[in-house]
Structures are given as structure tokens and as C-alpha cells.
Amino acid sequence: MGRDVPALEFTRDDRRRFRNKMHTCLDVFARMLRESRFDFERPQVGLEIELNLVDSAADPTMRSTDVLEAIADPSWSTELGRFNLEINIEPRRLTAGGPDSWEQEIRDALNHGEEKAAAIGAHLVMIGILPTLQRKDAGPSSLSENPRYHLLNEQIFAARGEDLLIAVDGVDRLRTYADTITPEAACTSTQFHLQVSPDEFADYWNAAQAIAGVQVALAANSPFLFAKELWRETRIPLFEQATDTRPDEIKVQGVRPRVWFGERWITSVFDLFEENARYFPALLPLCDDEDPEETLERGGTPGLAELTLHNGTVYRWNRPVYAVVDGVPHLRVENRVLPAGPTVADVLSNGAFYYGLVRALVDEDRPVWSRMSFSAAEDNLHAAARHGIDAQLYWPGMGEVPVTELVLRRLLPLAERGLERLGMDAAWREPLLGITEQRCVSGRNGAVWQSEMFHHLHDDVHMDRHQALRRMTQQYIEYMHLNAPAHTWPVD
């Protein structure tokens, strides 16, 4: 959501004022787009990583406040659950200093966090869903102490009027009800940011949407939830269900969900913000004191607080971001489909593939989104989440094809070309994309390793289910710290 909010109750007048203010923000935003008031000459990339906190037995520990106090660094912040944290890595030019320097920066930050956490008996885990998380760990008492999450929880359940049903059919079958949004905290992700110009935003967003399924298939790392083996990237259906404001009767009327892939290719970034205002009632109708029209008239840069706050409560898998840095506004595509982990090496390979591929697709004479239906891209996302690296996905000119074949034959060369155009030297491109290539060759990623390791411990060594998940998670943490890509991890 991007900001703290006070604990309060909202009136009908609050909602009316917020709606009016948001439409004012939309008008101001449209004018800013027409007048090209944005920074895009030296575009930057950014990275956020959400993490889980565990104790020495690899079970979740509700110590986020204590760990944050121990780390004492503003780049770390709370997340939805008391067993979560998030780190924001400083934005940078993609090629500044090379990937080695970016990797070292990320590893240094995570190692510092781990050192401070370990001193008070907690440990950091970079994983899509913590395998040892049990249903009892995702109740009301596990919700973050930050008031904004409590307020968001109240507003979602006020809109629903009933408990949430979490239902996922995979290897096992999960059916459970939740009376808070805390199950969403099980979803921990890696979020890549890409600053783009207003004129190119639509192309980059469309490209990111087109490859979302491919990204998830390659990087799946969330096969377990509440001790059940479900989808390879269970994070996708869980997140879609855990913040759903719609009871069943509203769903069948075609009302859009708050966790949303979208419904069409776009022609402007304005399309996305306008859809947010048109389709989604405000969950947090908090009005800022700034008059955005007055600010713009006197030559300033408005924060568009209501527009950005509302945008933070519509959970697109590729989200538009408007932000102001040092008085200058810019636009970003926030890519939110990927799970956290397994290692920093894997994360940077995922980033190189994403940044290179979207650049190459944007540069094509006949864009992929002009040859592919939007619904096919959405179907790809859910097929990838269910089957992971074994998924078959649709791609124009190839039809339904194994994702590994699609990547090796078509998309990896495009990603390399895109990175080259972005100015990345071959000595940097090849090792980064080589990790993605070897995942495809071996057919192994974090989700595959987790499943294989669990079944080895449960089926062959005859550990009970929770003991096997604990031991698997402990081994995962050891390999995570070694930073060898997950496709190289042994099962023994």
C-alpha cells in the first residue's frame, strides 16, 4: 500500500470526498501525461523481496517487530504477517557496476538482516510460501501490528460480509475458511520495478503481461500450504482468494476481483488508473491535504495521494506505479508475479530474463500482444502456477508448447538480445541467463526441489509429514545461504 495509515472508521462523507478527490487526481494525471512532465532519460530498476521469519526448528516465528528493531535500517519494513519482513533494494541503473555489484549489494543486505535476526533467535527465509506454516499460524494474532493492515482487514471483511474460503485442488486438496486476511501473508514475493517513459508504458506493461505465465513456470517456488502439496506456485491462487472482497453472489455478477490480471491489452498507463477508479470502491478512503490542481498550476509536482493509495489496494500482477523522487515524477511497471527465492543467484537470473525479454518484445515490429489474445496470457499464468516448469503454454507461432521448449528455442535468445540493447555486456548476460537455461535443461526449479526433497523424507525416510517439511525447510535454508542456483541442489 506504500504508506502507514491511522486506525479509524470511515463515514459516507469520507467515501464521497475520496471519490471526488481521486477523480481530480485522474484529471491532473491526464494533464501531466499530455505535457510530458516525467523523468525517463536515465531509467532505473528496483527490487523488493519479501521474507519469512522462522525459529531454529524452521517453524514460523512472530518476531517481525523485534527483528526490525534489531536491524534498524529504513530499507526494511513490516509486511502483512508478524512472520514477514520486506527489504527494498536501492534503485539503480540496470548495468551500473554490473550484476556482480548488484548481487553483492543484495547479499550484503540480506546477510546483515540475518545476522541481526539470528542474534534474537530468528532467521530469514526467502521462499514463496513457508512450508512449515500451519493453519494456526495464519490467524488474527499473526496479523502485523501496523495499523494499515488491521484497517485493510476490517474493510475487506466489511465488503465481503462473510469469511473467506481458501480452496485449492492440487496434489492434495485444501479447503479452509479464514476470518482475517492473514493467509495472504503466506505469499512472499520478489517484485521487479522498471522505470519507463509514459509513451512506452503500455508496450512494457503489455509485454510483462504476455510473459507472466512463462516467468511463473520457470521460477515456481511455492508447492506447499498448510502442510498440503498443492500447485507448483500456490501463491497465485492463494493471493487471489485471500484478499477477495466479493461474496459468491457478487462474483457471479461479473464484478472484478481485487487481485486482478486485467481484462485487455492497454494503450496508455492512464487506462489502468482509470480502471481502478471505475471498477473498485475505495477500501481506504483517506484524503490528503494537497490540492493537486493547485500544485500543478504553480509549477510543482503533485503527489496524487488518493490515486496512488487506491492503486495500492488493487493487486494487479503487473501494477502501474506513479511516484515522485526529488520533486520529479516518474512511472514504473511493478512486476509482482514471482515468488521470493530460492537464492539471490536465482532472483538475479529471473530479473535478467524479465528485463531483457520485455525490452526485446517491445522492440519487435509486430508485438506479441497483437498476435495473442489477452485471455490466452491469463490462461498461461494459471497453467504455469498449477504445473510449474512442466507447464504447457500458448505462444503465437508455436501453439501449445512445453514452457522449457518455448524458453530455450524462442525466449532466451530474445532475452539476451534485449539485455544487449540495454547495454549489458556478454560477460554479464551469459552467466545470468545461463541459470534460466539450465533450469529448462534439467527441468528443475525451487518447487521441484521442495517436492522431491519432501517425498524423499516422507516416503523413503518415513518421517511424519510436519517433520519432513521442517527438515526440508532447514535444508532449503542451508542451500539458500550457499547461493548455488536451485536446479543444482541435491536431494539426499
Side-chain angles (χ1 to χ4, degrees):
M1 286 161 42
R3 73 185 69 168
D4 290 343
V5 299
L8 45 75
E9 294 183 1
F10 297 117
T11 66
R12 286 175 293 181
D13 188 55
D14 289 330
R15 296 186 181 280
R16 178 187 56 79
R17 289 177 57 245
F18 185 86
R19 179 180 286 108
N20 292 340
K21 190 79 178 290
M22 186 160 56
H23 284 286
T24 299
C25 286
L26 269 176
D27 292 341
V28 170
F29 184 54
R31 179 179 164 187
M32 294 175 70
L33 290 171
R34 289 194 301 270
E35 297 175 356
S36 299
R37 295 179 178 234
F38 291 86
D39 175 23
F40 53 86
E41 294 300 324
R42 294 175 59 82
Q44 296 184 315
V45 298
L47 174 64
E48 300 173 64
I49 303 174
E50 298 168 350
L51 302 110
N52 287 279
L53 291 171
V54 298
D55 59 21
S56 59
D59 287 324
T61 184
M62 309 298 163
R63 303 288 304 278
S64 60
T65 300
D66 298 334
V67 172
L68 280 175
E69 289 177 357
I71 295 174
D73 185 330
S75 62
W76 292 81
S77 60
T78 57
E79 258 299 318
L80 178 63
R82 294 175 60 212
F83 53 92
N84 299 141
L85 292 179
E86 178 179 89
I87 182 170
N88 290 271
I89 304 299
E90 188 73 18
R92 60 185 288 131
R93 296 292 300 280
L94 181 62
T95 56
D100 287 348
S101 67
W102 203 17
E103 178 173 0
Q104 193 59 54
E105 179 184 350
I106 298 167
R107 293 191 70 188
D108 287 347
L110 293 175
N111 287 340
H112 171 73
E114 167 63 21
E115 178 185 353
K116 296 298 184 180
I120 61 171
H123 302 278
L124 304 177
V125 189
M126 190 165 56
I127 194 167
I129 294 177
L130 185 63
T132 55
L133 189 75
Q134 299 184 63
R135 185 63 190 84
K136 65 180 178 62
D137 299 316
S141 63
S142 302
L143 195 63
S144 168
E145 297 171 12
N146 191 315
R148 76 175 186 249
Y149 296 118
H150 288 269
L151 190 55
L152 187 64
N153 179 71
E154 292 168 6
Q155 295 301 304
I156 286 176
F157 277 90
R160 279 188 62 83
E162 62 187 51
D163 288 352
L164 288 161
L165 171 64
I166 308 295
V168 186
D169 292 332
V171 178
D172 300 321
R173 186 170 185 263
L174 175 67
R175 291 288 187 282
T176 187
Y177 283 91
D179 58 359
T180 71
I181 60 171
T182 315
E184 182 202 332
C187 306
T188 42
S189 64
T190 298
Q191 297 155 26
F192 290 109
H193 291 253
L194 177 60
Q195 184 182 337
V196 297
S197 73
D199 289 344
E200 291 187 309
F201 186 96
D203 287 350
Y204 274 97
W205 187 86
N206 289 340
Q209 291 284 97
I211 67 168
V214 178
Q215 288 182 274
V216 168
L218 293 177
N221 196 32
S222 313
F224 294 97
L225 173 64
F226 300 151
K228 293 183 181 291
E229 186 174 4
L230 301 168
W231 291 13
R232 287 308 204 203
E233 189 51 38
T234 305
R235 209 181 102 262
I236 300 294
L238 174 60
F239 193 41
E240 290 175 340
Q241 296 176 35
T243 52
D244 199 339
T245 57
R246 306 166 304 160
D248 289 343
E249 296 82 1
I250 299 299
K251 290 180 187 178
V252 299
Q253 294 176 36
V255 173
R256 281 87 173 168
R258 302 290 299 206
V259 177
W260 200 32
F261 187 76
E263 60 190 13
R264 63 188 175 103
W265 306 116
I266 65 169
T267 58
S268 167
V269 63
F270 187 80
D271 295 350
L272 301 178
F273 286 102
E274 186 181 39
E275 283 180 350
N276 288 353
R278 184 190 310 135
Y279 295 145
F280 300 101
L283 288 178
L284 301 173
L286 294 160
C287 286
D288 191 79
D289 291 336
E290 181 188 58
D291 181 336
E293 291 178 315
E294 180 185 333
T295 300
L296 194 64
E297 284 297 331
R298 67 169 187 263
T301 301
L304 305 182
E306 292 77 17
L307 193 70
T308 58
L309 177 61
H310 187 56
N311 184 56
T313 65
V314 179
Y315 304 98
R316 296 179 184 270
W317 291 113
N318 284 289
R319 175 186 276 166
V321 176
Y322 167 90
V324 180
V325 177
D326 297 328
V328 181
H330 70 261
L331 297 172
R332 304 195 303 270
V333 178
E334 181 187 7
N335 181 249
R336 300 161 49 83
V337 297
L338 293 179
T343 65
V344 173
D346 287 299
V347 167
L348 287 181
S349 180
N350 294 338
F353 181 75
Y354 167 70
Y355 290 128
L357 185 53
V358 292
R359 171 59 190 266
L361 293 176
V362 165
D363 287 347
E364 286 190 319
D365 293 333
R366 191 179 174 204
V368 64
W369 54 93
S370 70
R371 298 177 284 126
M372 179 182 190
S373 72
F374 195 84
S375 61
E378 184 173 15
D379 290 344
N380 277 353
L381 175 65
H382 289 98
R386 182 181 288 275
H387 301 292
I389 206 164
D390 294 322
Q392 297 225 6
L393 305 183
Y394 172 79
W395 196 259
M398 298 182 73
E400 295 282 342
V401 62
V403 68
T404 51
E405 180 182 342
L406 169 62
V407 172
L408 291 171
R409 284 179 50 195
R410 182 71 60 87
L411 302 186
L412 264 179
L414 282 175
E416 181 163 13
R417 187 185 312 163
L419 289 176
E420 183 178 13
R421 289 176 181 173
L422 288 166
M424 185 176 287
D425 189 88
W428 297 343
R429 300 192 306 263
E430 292 171 6
L432 287 169
L433 295 181
I435 293 173
T436 298
E437 179 183 35
Q438 288 306 307
R439 271 191 226 150
C440 293
V441 170
S442 64
R444 297 179 59 76
N445 58 16
V448 171
W449 182 86
Q450 287 188 55
S451 178
E452 289 183 355
M453 188 66 180
F454 166 75
H455 284 289
H456 167 65
L457 296 169
H458 184 259
D459 302 341
D460 301 336
V461 182
H462 305 298
M463 290 184 181
D464 68 45
R465 196 171 188 88
H466 191 68
Q467 185 183 11
L469 290 169
R470 263 192 190 143
R471 183 68 195 102
M472 181 266 284
T473 305
Q474 290 171 326
Q475 187 64 67
Y476 179 104
I477 294 170
E478 291 182 26
Y479 289 148
M480 179 189 75
H481 285 299
L482 293 176
N483 202 36
H487 72 267
T488 67
W489 293 3
V491 174
D492 54 29

